[in-house]
Structure formats: structure tokens, C-alpha cells
Amino acid sequence: MKFTVAIDGPAAAGKGTISKAIAEVFGFGHLDSGLLYRAVGIKTLEHGNGILDPVAAEDIAKHLTPEDLRRDDLRTGLAARAASKVAVLPNVRGALLEFQRIFARRDGGAVIDGRDIGTVICPEAEVKLFVTASAEIRARRRFEELKQTNADLTLDSVLNDVRARDKRDSEREMSPMVPAEDAVLLDTSELSIDAAVAKAVAIINERLEQGRD
Ligand code: DC
């Protein structure tokens, strides 16, 4: 069976949690496409001793290995910033396209979360969700998550970071972060994550039922 759930939206809106829950409920494979950009970003920084060289980034994207995706420094702020910078490069996006498309159509179903899954990677996805929340609420969630390990962090700096990344992600020329026309919007500022998961599960069940008719 081929069945793709495309989940897009900004950072810290709850995409990851919702995607994992869906994968678990339906037994689908899950790909967090942000990890691909994070791995390219951090490896490119290392390669250039702190400088992001676009040519090196393309080459690194072309030769990314499963091991690169298992690095334990991909969730850092440094990796996030580097990711959003290499993600504006068309050649990097192009190099990562095929892998994501193949994953999306794997047997047994797939959930992919990112920014352009429903619009560019898999416009034919059976279910498209756009998960969002206000910048303030997303910054608060990120702050609560990161403050345990970083005592110097302030809510203001996290909010500035969230806004800067949103701007880069939504204003870039290639594959900007926008909801697909046929995406269902899930706003987690008003909805708990549990309620958002329940809504997503109901939408997928309905679509699976249609496929059986
Ligand atoms: O979801 P995340 O925070 O791990 O994403 C890291 C960066 O990668 C983010 O700035 C946007 C970019 N990204 C993208 O451009 N396209 C995707 N499909 C996934 C992530």
C-alpha cells in the first residue's frame, strides 16, 4: 500500500510530535526532513571551518549518509541556523528531493514532515496537514524545552530566532513554506497536541476509508 501523509509548518508548532504519533498509530514510516537540512548545514559548517560554502553544501547534500542523520548534534541551535541557510540553496534542495520522494512512496505508508512536503516533494500526498501556532507560543515551547540545558537562554532570544527562521523559510524563492491549497490547517495555539493528533488520525482514517470504497 502506498499512502503519504505530508505535514508542513513552522518550527515548534508540534509537527514532529504529531508525525511520530501518526506513524505509530498507522504503522507508517516517518521521515523528519528537517534532519536532512540540519545534517547538510552542520557538515558544511565543519567543512568550511564555520563558513557555509554553497558549492560544498551541494556536494555534501548529494553524499549524505544514514549515519549523518544519526549525529547527536542535529537538534542544536547552531544546526538549526545552518539548516535554514543551506535550505535556501536550490542545488541543495534539488539534491535532497529524490530521496524524500522515494521515501514518500515507500510500501506500507509514510509520514514526512517539513516545509514543502505537500507543495513540492509530494503534491499527490493522500493527506496534507499544515500545523502551525503563533510565534509567541512556539517560542515559549522551545524555551521551556531548551532552558534545562542552557541557563543563559532568554525567551526574547528564542522568539527572535523563531521569527528570523520563519522569515527565511517563508520568503525564500525556492520552495517557500506555504500551506498547500488542499492542506488541512491545524493551529496548535488553540488546540492541545493530543487534540491535534486526534484530529489528524480522524482525517487519515477518513481518507483510508475512501480508498477502500
Ligand atoms: O523542522 P526543522 O526545524 O528541523 O528544520 C530545519 C530547517 O530546515 C528549517 O529552517 C527549514 C528547513 N527545512 C526546509 O526548508 N524544508 C524542509 N522540508 C524541512 C526543513
Side-chain angles (χ1 to χ4, degrees):
M1 181 202 59
K2 304 215 190 290
F3 191 97
T4 312
V5 182
I7 305 192
D8 291 305
K15 279 190 321 272
T17 313
I18 295 171
S19 303
K20 279 191 207 108
I22 290 172
E24 177 103 24
V25 169
F26 293 96
F28 295 165
H30 172 221
L31 175 66
D32 169 358
S33 66
L35 286 182
L36 303 172
Y37 294 92
R38 285 170 182 261
V40 173
I42 206 89
K43 283 191 82 175
T44 309
L45 273 185
E46 277 172 2
H47 177 272
N49 283 325
I51 291 165
L52 282 166
D53 168 13
V55 178
E58 179 186 354
D59 192 55
I60 287 165
K62 279 185 181 151
H63 299 101
L64 216 55
T65 65
E67 217 129 277
D68 293 330
L69 302 181
R70 286 196 286 268
R71 288 175 62 132
D72 59 10
D73 55 355
L74 298 183
R75 297 276 170 211
T76 60
L78 183 69
R81 281 188 293 278
S84 86
K85 289 177 188 159
V86 295
V88 305
L89 302 170
N91 290 346
V92 167
R93 302 200 74 85
L96 299 176
L97 188 90
E98 198 57 18
F99 174 77
Q100 295 174 83
R101 286 205 170 140
I102 291 170
F103 190 93
R105 299 319 278 170
R106 76 206 286 276
D107 252 335
V111 188
I112 308 193
D113 67 282
R115 303 291 189 289
D116 63 338
I117 310 302
T119 49
V120 175
I121 304 297
C122 204
E124 73 283 10
E126 280 75 8
V127 171
K128 296 181 192 174
L129 304 175
F130 194 84
V131 180
T132 185
S134 71
E136 288 74 16
I137 287 187
R138 289 185 287 121
R140 161 73 58 192
R141 286 183 191 147
R142 226 348 94 84
F143 176 66
E144 296 298 334
E145 195 183 301
L146 298 177
K147 74 175 183 195
Q148 271 83 344
T149 49
N150 184 352
D152 297 333
L153 201 68
T154 64
L155 179 58
D156 261 359
S157 71
V158 178
L159 181 58
N160 285 339
D161 227 37
V162 161
R163 288 196 172 127
R165 277 222 282 155
D166 281 358
K167 192 168 155 59
R168 257 201 303 270
D169 291 345
S170 52
E171 291 181 359
R172 66 173 174 240
E173 217 156 285
M174 192 183 186
S175 310
M177 174 180 69
V178 283
E181 267 178 31
D182 50 350
V184 177
L185 202 73
L186 289 181
D187 189 334
T188 63
S189 342
E190 291 147 22
L191 215 59
S192 71
I193 300 288
D194 283 351
V197 168
K199 216 165 166 179
V201 167
I203 293 167
I204 295 164
N205 270 326
E206 198 179 316
R207 187 68 180 79
L208 283 166
E209 283 300 318
Q210 284 168 5
R212 284 191 197 104
D213 289 345

